[in-house]
Amino acid sequence: ETGNGKVAMRYATSGKKALRQLITAYGYNEAHPKNPSSDAIDLIARLMAKNPSERIPISEIGNHPWLRG
């Protein structure tokens, strides 16, 4: 089985352009923007980094520019 989580991880590790395509394809509908912001993509990429040492620490998530607006 190749659930969306595995697909998402593959995209997250293959670059921000591919991650933007994944977010647009799976995560948005008409009520959401078609082009996620670079801050949104950065946060998602850092959350989903394959290498744990490259992931954003939980303590820093709330201070990420995308969440701080």
Side-chain angles (χ1 to χ4, degrees), residues 11-34:
Y11 276 93
T13 59
S14 67
K16 289 186 178 183
K17 182 178 179 183
L19 183 58
R20 180 182 296 274
Q21 292 171 342
L22 176 74
I23 292 167
T24 302
Y26 286 101
Y28 287 92
N29 60 35
E30 291 182 20
H32 296 89
K34 295 290 182 190

Side-chain angles (χ1 to χ4, degrees), residues 14-60:
S14 67
K16 289 186 178 183
K17 182 178 179 183
L19 183 58
R20 180 182 296 274
Q21 292 171 342
L22 176 74
I23 292 167
T24 302
Y26 286 101
Y28 287 92
N29 60 35
E30 291 182 20
H32 296 89
K34 295 290 182 190
N35 294 308
S37 71
S38 59
D39 283 339
I41 289 173
D42 177 71
L43 177 59
I44 294 168
R46 293 181 66 198
L47 287 166
M48 299 177 66
K50 186 174 183 178
N51 182 339
S53 68
E54 295 175 2
R55 290 184 202 137
I56 187 171
I58 291 173
S59 61
E60 293 180 19

